[in-house]
Amino acid sequence: MRIGILTSGGDCPALNAVIRGFAKYAYKNIRGAEIYGIADGYGGLIAGEYKKMHPEDFSGILNVGGTILGTSRQPFKKMTVEENNSTKVEKMKANYKKMGLDALVTLGGAGTHKSAALLCEEGLNVVGLPKTIDNDIFGTDVTFGFYSAVDVATECIDRVHTTAASHGRTMLVEIMGNKVGWLTLYAGIAGGADIILLPEIPFDTDVVCKKVLQRAEAGKAFSIIAIAEGAIEKSEAGLKKKERAQKRSETGDVTATNRLAREINARTGVETRVVIPGHIQRGGSPSALDRAISTQVGAYAGYLCKEGLFGTTVAIHGEKITHNKIADIAGKTKWVPLDHPMLEIGRSVGISFGEK
Ligand code: F6P
């Protein structure tokens, strides 16, 4: 069986651990397994850039961050746009055939799954794997890369904590996560943030300022705010994405973070700083938990190939590794549900989510 494998979209820790788990399973359990590494995600499949891999290529990479295959972002909306008498999907289909592939394994996030669904419609045998630090893929409890990013983001909050305490400042730590708040919620709770602001709960600036003042009055001179990059102020909640971006650009802002920091500073008089760890959250070695998960899901993708269960993507439900149909989950977002137990627990220990 000849299998192509690619990693697409933003990278994350544990991509290599998954690739390794898949390859080890395939060489051991699939008769005549040949693995072709496709360079830079769908970009390599479009351009026909790939190479035959060997078992030794997959050794020593379990704890290595990034992806040995390289990655790129290939926007879904451009997949079916005609350029020089052909579309990207057509090019991928042609290269899949040219490579003589029996299956294609795609490690990626939401966009990758949408394109994978297109490839399935075109008759390709695709097996997906749910990657992203954002944890926003529908139909799986967790995505690989998420727990490693939680650890990094938590350490950032920890480090900010001590300096905030020394100076008696309010510090806002802007956490990645794209449109959803999973990473901010988990790192915020783990890092002991006083205020956690998620896209799913538009925040009220008055409430946030009041909380900072209450803490100051109670003798706690510093406050830590974990704010998601996708967080939205209440007054912006009704706006479309473009309108929100336009409104923010008037003050030179991209996210809600800097504006909130200015407001806190002005309204409370508490010195306020912003920290944006950015891509640090995606870099470096995967955590032990992520390595274990990745070995499981990688091997399971090998099993799906072996059994010919194509058009599927791996999913984790509790302790169980299972799969969903790609068509059923593509294009759907897994938001933090408003009744998530972590929110209730957070409120019960005095964390503010910026709501009235
Ligand atoms: O999807 C992962 C992610 O890190 C998001 O959290 C973030 O919004 C985005 O990718 C950043 O993308 P880029 O690496 O293209 O700047």
Side-chain angles (χ1 to χ4, degrees), residues 119-188:
L119 294 175
C120 293
E121 282 169 25
E122 290 294 320
L124 273 55
N125 292 333
V126 183
V127 167
L129 276 152
K131 163 237 71 167
T132 168
I133 65 165
D134 303 337
N135 194 30
D136 61 349
I137 297 183
F138 197 83
T140 182
D141 291 354
V142 74
T143 55
F144 64 85
F146 174 66
Y147 287 125
S148 303
V150 169
D151 286 354
V152 177
T154 301
E155 197 194 333
C156 292
I157 296 173
D158 283 350
R159 286 177 182 273
V160 161
H161 231 127
T162 57
T163 172
S166 304
H167 287 265
R169 287 171 170 162
T170 292
M171 307 268 300
L172 290 89
V173 186
E174 186 183 284
I175 310 283
M176 273 190 171
N178 198 12
K179 288 185 292 187
V180 303
W182 291 104
L183 189 51
T184 307
L185 177 61
Y186 275 68

Side-chain angles (χ1 to χ4, degrees), residues 160-232:
V160 161
H161 231 127
T162 57
T163 172
S166 304
H167 287 265
R169 287 171 170 162
T170 292
M171 307 268 300
L172 290 89
V173 186
E174 186 183 284
I175 310 283
M176 273 190 171
N178 198 12
K179 288 185 292 187
V180 303
W182 291 104
L183 189 51
T184 307
L185 177 61
Y186 275 68
I189 298 270
D194 308 298
I195 300 166
I196 299 178
L197 304 175
L198 312 176
E200 290 85 351
I201 307 174
F203 67 87
D204 185 323
T205 302
D206 288 340
V207 171
V208 174
C209 292
K210 215 165 159 189
K211 174 81 179 172
V212 169
L213 279 176
Q214 270 169 4
R215 282 181 53 82
E217 280 159 18
K220 297 168 186 173
F222 74 94
S223 291
I224 303 294
I225 304 180
I227 176 167
E229 62 177 353
I232 296 167

Side-chain angles (χ1 to χ4, degrees), residues 1-5 22-23 25-26 29-31 33-35 96 102-106 125-129 297-312 314 323:
M1 184 180 227
R2 186 174 287 191
I3 307 166
I5 184 165
F22 167 76
Y25 180 96
N29 299 285
I30 303 177
R31 193 182 289 267
E34 289 178 52
I35 301 177
Y96 177 96
D102 299 301
L104 174 68
V105 175
T106 60
N125 292 333
V126 183
V127 167
L129 276 152
V297 297
Y300 190 82
Y303 161 80
L304 291 175
C305 289
K306 179 171 161 253
E307 297 299 320
L309 293 167
F310 300 122
T312 54
V314 181
H323 57 275

